[in-house]
Amino acid sequence: MSYQLLDAMSAEVAYRAEQLRKAGRNARMTKQSRPVRWLRAHRLTNVEVPVQERRSAEPVASRAGHLAR
């Protein structure tokens, strides 16, 4: 294994470890606002979702029909 590859691998490991640390800090910070997010999502939204309806596929008219005439 060359030293360049070893350096690249160690740099990648350090980068990913730092990203995991940042994600862990952000997860801890958002725990405090979980009740607020729940209230916003469930109590304060007045969004009406329409009922889904099943549609069948319609046959596509041939675009080459006008060329054959």
Side-chain angles (χ1 to χ4, degrees), residues 10-46:
S10 62
E12 180 72 19
V13 168
Y15 171 76
R16 289 182 186 237
E18 180 61 29
Q19 292 300 314
L20 286 173
R21 277 193 290 278
K22 284 182 185 177
R25 272 182 288 195
N26 291 339
R28 282 191 301 275
M29 288 180 177
T30 58
K31 281 184 184 177
Q32 297 168 355
S33 65
R34 280 187 184 168
V36 174
R37 285 189 292 160
W38 186 89
L39 281 173
R40 286 181 183 158
H42 292 87
R43 303 282 183 191
L44 302 176
T45 55
N46 296 327

Side-chain angles (χ1 to χ4, degrees), residues 12 18 23-25 33 46 50-51 54-55 58-59 62-63 65:
E12 180 72 19
E18 180 61 29
R25 272 182 288 195
S33 65
N46 296 327
V51 178
R54 244 181 126 73
R55 297 184 295 181
E58 297 177 8
S62 174
R63 291 173 37 175

